Amino acid sequence: MSKPSTAERPPVDLTRRPSIEELRAVIHPEGMLQRRSAEHWAGRLYMRKISLRITRILSTVTVITPNGLTYLMMLTGILAGIALVVPGLTGAILGAVLIQVYLLLDCVDGEVARWRRQTSLTGVYLDRVGHYMSEAALLTGLGLRAADLLHRDGDHAAWQWAFLGTLAALGAILIKSETDLVDVARARSGMTAVADEASVPRSNAVAKARRAASLLKFHRLVGAVEASLFILAAGIADAVRGDLFFTRLAVVVLAAIAMLQTVLHLLSIVLSSRLR
């Protein structure tokens, strides 16, 4: 027997906490977690298991709205970037922990919206803005950390590192905007949303290069979760070494990846069928 569609669901009883099975059938529809293009690896690996239980608790807490959770996600991501300015290993740990909370909220806001049938264009928009702001804040915070803003290792801030961090943040924003603007361009031309298959470049050479880059997965390092773990690893290495060498190396690596990926991603889109 097939599962009832969302339209066939009975009215949501917000006074009764649903079972895990009831909740999962609605908020984790079949195939959602298997779509690698739509679900982060950390979500598939562990975060969706945690978020399922948090969403169950919040299912009857009507004072908290899905959009309110998205605003909280946005704030948490920005705070992660600010936390990186704290000198020493403490700042790196705080940043990584806050990004995990950010990821949890990113899962929970959509799950609560699906369960309560409160999905909206505003929610989708805020979610995208939240990702833009949080990733930019994290990479900017890394640059300020490398610049030694609080003068842990000297009397003056080395602003060139802050510039590189800002460059990495700009690249992260541009990469996301290149993806999102595909749907904008198609919508303005009266076309439907792009299918996953259309992302394959028409040129065989470009398609091979894209597959090679995908196998290496270096582009993921500018994402919030991966970047926070990379920054944490650099912070641990710096704690052993006693200076900011590895944090500054991390800034160079992430800025280089962000700039390179900005160009490669643009070429991948233009040479694919997404704009046709």
Side-chain angles (χ1 to χ4, degrees):
M1 183 176 178
S2 61
K3 295 179 181 178
S5 66
T6 303
E8 296 170 339
R9 281 173 56 204
V12 179
D13 182 2
L14 297 180
T15 65
R16 182 186 70 85
R17 186 170 293 176
S19 67
I20 290 293
E21 291 71 24
E22 287 177 296
L23 198 60
R24 184 183 287 114
V26 173
I27 68 174
H28 294 169
E30 187 175 352
M32 186 190 87
L33 299 184
Q34 285 69 46
R35 289 176 58 202
R36 294 183 178 272
S37 61
E39 184 64 28
H40 193 275
W41 62 264
R44 294 193 304 273
L45 187 62
Y46 61 89
M47 195 56 80
R48 287 292 181 183
K49 298 179 180 66
I50 300 171
S51 67
L52 180 66
R53 283 150 181 81
I54 301 299
T55 298
R56 182 170 181 260
I57 294 170
L58 295 178
S59 63
T60 56
V61 185
T62 54
V63 70
I64 300 176
T65 65
N67 285 353
L69 290 166
T70 305
Y71 281 120
L72 187 57
M73 175 201 82
M74 197 182 304
L75 176 62
T76 305
I78 293 170
L79 287 175
I82 294 172
L84 291 179
V85 178
V86 176
L89 191 54
T90 302
I93 293 173
L94 277 174
V97 169
L98 284 168
I99 287 298
Q100 290 299 311
V101 177
Y102 154 86
L103 178 61
L104 175 61
L105 291 167
D106 188 31
C107 293
V108 170
D109 62 355
E111 292 174 354
V112 170
R114 286 192 291 275
W115 175 253
R116 296 185 191 171
R117 301 179 190 173
Q118 292 177 340
T119 56
S120 65
L121 285 176
T122 301
V124 173
Y125 176 79
L126 289 175
D127 183 74
R128 297 306 300 165
V129 170
H131 290 306
Y132 277 54
M133 293 180 66
S134 299
E135 293 192 5
L138 186 73
L139 294 170
T140 302
L142 171 63
L144 292 173
R145 177 181 177 83
D148 194 20
L149 189 65
L150 299 183
H151 310 315
R152 176 196 173 196
D153 291 335
D155 296 331
H156 303 286
W159 291 108
Q160 67 270 26
W161 301 106
F163 170 76
L164 280 178
T166 304
L167 202 62
L170 175 62
I173 291 174
L174 287 173
I175 292 164
K176 287 189 175 297
S177 66
E178 287 169 356
T179 300
D180 290 342
L181 286 173
V182 170
D183 287 335
V184 172
R186 292 177 67 89
R188 289 187 177 181
S189 300
M191 301 171 70
T192 58
V194 67
D196 288 342
E197 310 82 64
S199 64
V200 179
R202 298 187 305 276
S203 165
N204 288 333
V206 175
K208 289 178 181 177
R210 186 175 184 272
R211 283 195 295 271
S214 180
L215 287 174
L216 294 173
K217 301 188 186 304
F218 71 92
H219 57 285
R220 287 190 175 180
L221 275 180
V222 293
V225 175
E226 293 84 351
S228 69
L229 297 176
F230 189 53
I231 294 165
L232 176 58
I236 293 171
D238 281 344
V240 174
R241 182 182 167 97
D243 57 17
L244 289 169
F245 174 81
F246 287 103
T247 290
R248 288 171 173 172
L249 179 61
V251 175
V252 173
V253 170
L254 294 181
I257 289 174
M259 290 295 100
L260 177 62
Q261 183 63 12
T262 298
V263 176
L264 294 180
H265 191 50
L266 178 62
L267 288 174
S268 175
I269 290 172
V270 172
L271 296 175
S272 72
S273 300
R274 280 181 270 189
L275 298 178
R276 282 167 169 70

